[in-house]
Amino acid sequence: MATRFCCGSHCRSKSNIDSNNATVKLVRLIIALSVLSIWGKVAIAADLHPIVEVQSGYLFGATTDGKWIKAEEAAKALLGETTYQVYGLTQSLGQAKGGKPKPSEDDVCSDVLTVSLSPKPEKGMIALAAPWNALPRKPQASDTTQQVYSDAVRDFLKTKGIEQPKVKIENILRVDLDGDGGDEVLVSATNYFSKDDRVPMRSPAGSYSMVLLRRVVAGKVETQLVEGEFYPKAYPRAAQDEGRFDAPNAYKVIATLDLDGDGKLEVVVSSNYYEGEAITIYRCEPKKIETLLSVACGA
């Protein structure tokens, strides 16, 4: 039987009091957990460093404490306006504000998250929300006709089955990626034999596109493939007659930036084909080249 407590004409049972107290405690617990959740999200957002491709607004994802976070997870923590630093290939280009990520308005790429930057940068490649300088060492363009690099490209293409390569170097960049005082060399080379430099729907024989990294490893110069495609033979004529195509890509370096704050530069490579594009961030260690984050849109 429940104990009753009376004061004048008012009586309450002990069971009712206990029930009310339990309800109050539950409400307080829910409020406390909600506050902790809100502050937790704010703290996570403060430690998160989102990365955006400037011209498209595509969200790559983010970095936090040396970890690389994919776009879907990063977007959950980006609750409001974020300040980004905009970077080009060789310079910092000022700041822009970015809102909460949302799906692309392009039907083809509705699964890609985008960030609207304001004011819209006229130039620039990558926007990063971080307190450090992501461009501590600037890449320098080199003469694309240097024989040593023409030979390196030719030799590499032969290892990919292209016996008589037609070397066409688009760009050479010298930059100290790991901060040890010695430069690495990034070589972008593409030849699809098109007169207007457009990427064809079908690959001709002996065509290719690639980004190579030349660096000294254990006292020797090594040539490493960052990304590329190689076509020793033409796309089959029978398939062409049926209206099929292989949609080859053209690759080039668009940025070298420290996107996670560890002092080392990541290499950002764009690739495009006749109906789409992708941008990929690579970590280039001496023994391994690793894909970190990538965003793509195309039919």
Side-chain angles (χ1 to χ4, degrees):
M1 177 180 294
T3 303
R4 295 176 62 82
F5 296 85
C6 298
C7 181
S9 60
H10 299 284
C11 296
R12 289 184 298 166
S13 68
K14 184 177 185 300
S15 60
N16 288 340
I17 294 173
D18 290 343
S19 177
N20 290 339
N21 288 340
T23 301
V24 170
K25 290 179 180 179
L26 179 60
V27 169
R28 287 175 177 173
L29 177 61
I30 292 172
I31 293 173
L33 290 174
S34 298
V35 171
L36 287 173
S37 176
I38 292 170
W39 279 107
K41 290 180 179 179
V42 171
I44 291 172
D47 293 335
L48 204 68
H49 307 295
I51 308 165
V52 175
E53 200 280 324
V54 169
Q55 298 307 315
S56 64
Y58 296 157
L59 176 67
F60 286 95
T63 63
T64 179
D65 194 26
K67 298 179 181 179
W68 295 79
I69 311 299
K70 292 185 177 181
E72 293 78 9
E73 289 301 314
K76 295 176 183 178
L78 298 175
L79 304 178
E81 188 175 78
T82 302
T83 300
Y84 292 84
Q85 187 69 36
V86 178
Y87 294 93
L89 180 62
T90 61
Q91 59 183 325
S92 177
L93 298 167
Q95 293 185 338
K97 301 288 186 180
K100 183 175 175 59
K102 60 181 181 178
S104 171
E105 296 179 355
D106 190 332
D107 291 339
V108 176
C109 307
S110 58
D111 60 333
V112 178
L113 291 170
T114 63
V115 172
S116 178
L117 296 175
S118 179
K120 173 68 175 179
E122 295 182 3
K123 299 179 180 179
M125 298 295 182
I126 301 296
L128 172 68
W132 64 84
N133 174 21
L135 191 59
R137 299 176 296 280
K138 299 178 181 180
Q140 301 291 327
S142 294
D143 181 6
T144 58
T145 64
Q146 296 175 77
Q147 191 63 45
V148 63
Y149 298 116
S150 295
D151 291 343
V153 169
R154 182 177 295 104
D155 292 343
F156 190 86
L157 289 171
K158 288 181 179 179
T159 70
K160 296 298 181 179
I162 301 177
E163 296 179 357
Q164 295 182 327
K166 304 297 182 183
V167 175
K168 186 179 179 183
I169 297 176
E170 301 286 345
N171 196 16
I172 296 176
L173 297 172
R174 301 183 66 90
V175 60
D176 181 1
L177 293 177
D178 49 20
D180 64 355
D183 284 348
E184 283 73 40
V185 179
L186 291 159
V187 181
S188 301
T190 298
N191 195 351
Y192 284 115
F193 304 102
S194 57
K195 294 181 180 180
D196 55 6
D197 288 333
R198 292 184 180 180
V199 185
M201 293 175 61
R202 303 173 182 87
S203 54
S207 61
Y208 60 88
S209 183
M210 62 183 178
V211 173
L212 296 179
L213 173 60
R214 296 264 292 174
R215 70 192 318 164
V216 177
V217 179
K220 296 182 179 180
V221 177
E222 291 188 3
T223 300
Q224 300 171 304
L225 177 66
V226 178
E227 187 59 277
E229 297 180 8
F230 310 91
Y231 301 96
K233 298 180 179 180
Y235 190 65
R237 185 67 202 180
Q240 294 187 43
D241 292 341
E242 294 174 1
R244 288 186 283 158
F245 49 87
D246 57 349
N249 282 278
Y251 298 88
K252 65 178 180 180
V253 177
I254 63 170
T256 56
L257 296 168
D258 177 11
L259 297 171
D260 60 356
D262 68 350
K264 297 181 180 180
L265 307 182
E266 284 73 47
V267 177
V268 186
V269 175
S270 73
S271 61
N272 68 283
Y273 64 102
Y274 83 101
E275 206 172 23
E277 64 176 341
I279 307 101
T280 305
I281 301 169
Y282 295 92
R283 176 188 287 131
C284 297
E285 298 290 350
K287 294 184 179 181
K288 183 181 181 181
I289 294 178
E290 178 185 4
T291 299
L292 298 171
L293 294 173
S294 186
V295 64
C297 176

